[in-house]
Amino acid sequence: MIVPQERKTNSISRFSLCCILGFAAFVYTCSAAKKPSIPKDFVRTIIDSNPPVTPLSPEKSMELIQLPPGFHVELVASEPMVQEPVAITWDANGKMYVAEMNTYMK
């Protein structure tokens, strides 16, 4: 089927318009996402300016973390399950992956 040049140009401009509107909708939905806000009255306090060198237990470490209201800390991995971690990431399904270097710089 032979399409006249005038009609072909019109369909290309409609496609361009749809792409632009789709991109604008995407940007709007990304910018409209609610982000948790930290209360302005939240102040972190320095507990120990010269902490000891010995490592703390995971439970004790969690007690020392200061978070604004509405946030919480959850322990998901600790030694001996994870040793020598060097990187951490989450996938789109919420699964956490930890990269370890067990033999590096022993």
Side-chain angles (χ1 to χ4, degrees):
M1 175 177 172
I2 299 174
V3 179
Q5 183 66 29
E6 174 183 316
R7 191 170 180 195
K8 195 177 206 181
T9 306
N10 194 11
S11 66
I12 291 174
S13 64
R14 284 183 189 158
F15 177 73
S16 300
L17 180 63
C18 288
C19 289
I20 291 169
L21 289 176
F23 181 71
F26 173 74
V27 169
Y28 174 76
T29 56
C30 290
S31 64
K34 289 189 175 184
K35 298 174 184 168
S37 61
I38 297 174
K40 300 219 184 278
D41 60 342
F42 175 70
V43 179
R44 288 187 172 89
T45 57
I46 297 174
I47 296 173
D48 189 359
S49 61
N50 190 16
V53 181
T54 58
L56 301 173
S57 68
E59 293 78 18
K60 182 65 176 169
S61 296
M62 288 173 53
E63 290 173 8
L64 296 176
I65 296 174
Q66 299 177 31
L67 296 173
F71 291 86
H72 71 279
V73 176
E74 182 179 331
L75 180 65
V76 293
S78 67
E79 290 180 338
M81 186 168 59
V82 178
Q83 297 175 359
E84 308 293 333
V86 293
I88 186 173
T89 190
W90 284 266
D91 69 0
N93 297 321
K95 291 183 180 179
M96 181 178 74
Y97 294 89
V98 178
E100 299 177 279
M101 297 182 86
N102 292 328
T103 60
Y104 184 71
M105 294 295 283
K106 286 274 184 175

